[in-house]
Amino acid sequence: MLSFLVRRLLTFVPTFFGVTLVSFAFIRLLPGDPILLLAGERGVSQERYEQLSAQLGFDQPLWKQYIDYLAGIFQGDLGTSFVTKRPVIDEFFALFPATLELSLCAIVIAILLGIPAGVIAAVYRGKFFDRTLMTTALVGYSMPIFWWALLLIIVFSSGLGWTPVSGRISLMYFFDTPTGFMLIDSLLADQDGAFLSAVSHLILPSIVLATIPLAIIARQTRSAMLEVLGEDYMRTARAKGLPPLKINGVHALRNAMIPVITVIGLSVGTLLAGAILTETIFSWPGIGKWMVDSIFRRDYQVVQGGLLMIATIVMIVNLTVDVLYGLINPKIRKG
Amino acid sequence: MAEYTAETEHGLQPAPPPGPVREFWHSFKENRGAVIGLVVFSTFLLIAIIAPLLAPYGPAQQFRDHLLQPPVWQDGGSWQFPLGTDPLGRDMVSRLLYGARFSFFIGVVVVAIATFFGVVIGVIAGFAPRWADTLIMRVMDIVLSFPSLLMALVLVAILGPSLINAMIAIAVVLQPHFVRLTRAAVLSERAKDYVTAARVAGSGQLRIMFKTVLPNCLSPIIVQAALSFSTAVLDAAALGFLGMGAQPPTPEWGTMLAEAREFILRAWWVVTLPGLCILVTVLAINLMGDGLRDALDPKLKRS
């Protein structure tokens, strides 16, 4: 087990350095002078140009710039936004809880609906239930989620007036946000209707973001269940006369969970990519919208820092999934 | 395949097995969804090809007196514009028909680029010495560490927003999947006896890589190509929607959606119809992809 862990960690390190290299290269690959790009459309005086160049290290040789960049990363310095003048890392951690809250809600919805749907489809294989569920899942999997978001807004926000169109909470409410999670903070604030407002803001974006992971989880659960249902120990369980709920829900599901857990872990990348679109449409103040806005504002220090942070998160989650997978499945551990 | 016919020419002639195409078709047509997908896909392809013949107007032609005219079945609609007009008075039918061209063009080009480079790099990785293989796979890991849409967005920021650049970006993002898949298939094939036989018979390294081994690795690659086609269409539409793909007035479906977004409450058709086209196209491709997988790759069979 230890050697598996060590081997897996050893692949993490070069990949991480590769990711830093990509984010380092990003600003230098942009067409044009990086300093003029960073300074924006106003342009800069010659004096200011040289000052910026020295401050950002662009007058140094490339390898030195990269070493300095790495040194900065390990001290938690990802540069400063040219628009807000705040450190990129501070902005990231200020906005990250919003994305985390949205993604967690989405993945909870996806798991709570996807796993039962997959189990039911597998148990009723080939029947009406199965076909309806799997067709729905395929539609969800094929969904352009930015369009899906607009449709839901048309129906539920403007049509029925049930949910707000944008933001995390109604502007009526002001309170401290110690955790950064609006659901928790609104409960702590104990203001009338604050929690409900937070929930109503969260619901449509979570549904949109959950759509594709939900479809993937349902499909994966179904195929994993089908594999398990054919095993000998399942026949034994049936022969023992165990109730069907126990057979399917406990015996089969537990063994079918391994591939499903992997898929859930790997959907983090999907969620973050989906967050870019979802947050942009619902004006959700998270890192997806932050990245898109920064690209449009040409705030390239932010894009560079955000790229690195997001890739690092994806890598850490993938690493964790792999290690957990190794813990559950001895075949991988030894292989 | 060449080795096989050479051996059987010595006189012993068993009954010919069904050709690979017929065998494939036999299991493909069992899957009703896949056949529906194929029909829809072919229809869209036909529409894309003959769009100029079908479209009543040019995709950029404006009718100033008919801004945001609703579809024919609603009050104020007319047969002149069966699906209504957009905020600039352009005919929705014509724009949607021309949009099909862009989606197919995007899908074909992106999949061709991603598959070509992915397969070549994958085969090389599968045959390369250990260190080179590790190097290639680490580079692919790095690309895969970035969420696909984010990586594409950033690449477009570097290259400049245009449809071609969006296509290049999406191809770059999709290509590591082909590398991984090809490499895995090559690794499992290269130890087999027929490869040793080819080597003993004096085949060169390149011939072994691309003529002996690669044809036996194609099934998963074809399936991946089909599924990548839908990802390419979706991601290109998403980039267009974010303003980083095809630029107005190009009638690309994602770009059309972005242009129409502010009219979402007043004119449902300008938002609903392009998205519906994207959904139907992607759904058809995915249905076909599922059928392809079941027919080509029994190991991966879902049910």
Side-chain angles (χ1 to χ4, degrees), chain B residues 119-297:
Chain B
V119 168
V120 170
I121 297 173
V123 172
I124 292 174
F127 277 95
R130 184 96 188 245
W131 64 268
D133 177 31
T134 311
L135 183 70
I136 293 174
M137 294 326 285
R138 282 298 88 75
V139 172
M140 295 307 135
D141 283 352
I142 292 166
V143 179
L144 288 174
S145 303
F146 297 95
S148 58
L149 189 61
L150 180 64
M151 190 68 176
L153 260 178
V154 167
L155 284 173
V156 173
I158 294 174
L159 299 168
S162 77
L163 185 59
I164 298 292
N165 291 341
M167 282 158 51
I168 296 173
I170 296 166
V172 170
V173 174
L174 286 178
Q175 169 265 352
H177 297 284
F178 286 96
V179 176
R180 282 191 165 181
L181 211 61
T182 311
R183 173 180 171 271
V186 165
L187 285 182
S188 73
E189 286 293 320
R190 64 178 267 198
K192 290 191 179 163
D193 288 342
Y194 72 90
V195 182
T196 320
R199 209 182 289 279
V200 171
S203 299
Q205 182 71 5
L206 276 180
R207 190 189 163 83
I208 290 181
M209 284 162 75
F210 292 99
K211 279 201 94 164
T212 312
V213 171
L214 183 58
N216 291 299
C217 305
L218 282 183
S219 297
I221 297 172
I222 293 172
V223 174
Q224 179 68 26
L227 297 175
S228 298
F229 198 108
S230 64
T231 315
V233 172
L234 266 186
D235 279 3
L239 285 177
F241 180 74
L242 290 171
M244 286 299 214
Q247 298 296 305
T250 314
E252 194 271 320
W253 292 332
T255 312
M256 286 169 72
L257 258 176
E259 275 183 275
R261 219 183 119 183
E262 53 187 302
F263 301 96
I264 167 176
L265 302 184
R266 280 204 285 145
W268 60 266
W269 58 94
V270 286
V271 176
T272 317
L273 299 175
L276 195 62
C277 289
I278 302 173
L279 174 63
V280 172
T281 311
V282 174
L283 186 59
I285 300 166
N286 282 339
L287 277 169
M288 262 174 33
D290 276 5
L292 271 178
R293 184 192 40 220
D294 292 354
L296 287 176
D297 215 348

Side-chain angles (χ1 to χ4, degrees), chain A residues 236-264:
Chain A
T236 312
R238 274 189 288 267
K240 280 199 301 192
L242 293 178
L245 192 65
K246 191 161 181 199
I247 297 176
N248 295 322
V250 182
H251 280 64
L253 189 56
R254 202 169 56 193
N255 287 295
M257 269 297 95
I258 293 178
V260 176
I261 290 173
T262 317
V263 163
I264 294 172

